[in-house]
């Protein structure tokens, strides 16, 4: 059985069976978002390490760390997120699973960071939620 090409000027509108078209484009966007989230983490980390006066001081908080310690956590996590985001854009097999795990870890860290910078923490949590969704629903290049 031969397949014919679509007529010039027409587009194929149906996605292959089992592939979610939203998730297929979402993986590339997830890689970019991981890199953006990594840059934001590096900036948060540098600001926390450089000066303790940049962020609000919290007196009674369950997950209280020194702001410098938070700075190092965000800096290291940001650099690793940059590397994993680059790996997703390059199509590396290890990058999807690592991206899901690191986005979840970053989501938890930003939840604990919420009292210090609530707006940026919520933005990072939303980015991580989308990244996890996009990487988990994509079936285009399953490794297993």
């Amino acid at each position: 059985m031969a397949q014919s090409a679509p007529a010039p000027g027409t587009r194929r509108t149906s996605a292959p069976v089992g592939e979610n078209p939203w998730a297929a484009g979402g993986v590339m966007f997830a890689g970019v978002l991981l890199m953006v989230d990594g840059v934001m983490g590096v900036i948060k980390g540098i600001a926390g390490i450089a000066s303790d006066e940049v962020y609000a001081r919290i007196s009674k908080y369950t997950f209280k760390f020194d702001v410098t310690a938070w700075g190092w956590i965000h800096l290291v996590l940001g650099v690793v997120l940059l590397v994993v985001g680059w790996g997703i854009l390059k199509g590396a097999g290890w990058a999807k699973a690592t991206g899901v795990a690191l986005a979840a870890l970053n989501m938890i860290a930003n939840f604990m960071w919420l009292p210090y910078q609530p707006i940026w923490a919520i933005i990072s949590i939303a980015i991580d939620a989308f990244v996890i969704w996009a990487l988990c629903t994509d079936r285009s290049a399953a490794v297993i």
Side-chain angles (χ1 to χ4, degrees):
M1 180 184 318
Q3 276 187 326
S4 61
T10 60
R11 295 185 330 173
R12 181 180 290 178
T13 58
S14 61
V17 177
E19 184 177 320
N20 184 347
W22 284 91
V27 172
M28 179 185 225
F29 190 52
V32 172
L33 281 180
L34 271 180
M35 292 180 70
V36 168
D37 210 11
V39 169
M40 286 176 23
V42 167
I43 291 170
K44 285 188 279 190
I46 290 172
I49 293 168
S51 175
D52 282 346
E53 287 80 32
V54 173
Y55 297 116
R57 296 203 179 263
I58 308 298
S59 59
K60 295 181 181 179
Y61 181 51
T62 305
F63 304 113
K64 185 179 179 190
F65 287 106
D66 180 41
V67 176
T68 305
W70 273 117
W72 282 107
I73 290 169
H74 283 292
L75 181 67
V76 170
L77 203 54
V79 169
V80 175
L81 285 171
L82 276 166
V83 171
V84 172
W86 182 256
I88 288 172
L89 291 179
K90 296 295 271 182
W94 56 268
K96 280 187 185 179
T98 307
V100 170
L102 283 175
L105 183 64
N106 195 43
M107 186 182 280
I108 293 167
N110 278 296
F111 177 76
M112 294 186 335
W113 178 250
L114 213 63
Y116 296 96
Q117 285 289 319
I119 293 173
W120 286 111
I122 290 172
I123 290 170
S124 287
I125 288 169
I127 288 172
D128 293 330
F130 175 80
V131 166
I132 290 170
W133 173 81
L135 294 178
C136 286
T137 57
D138 179 52
R139 300 282 182 223
S140 60
V143 177
I144 298 175

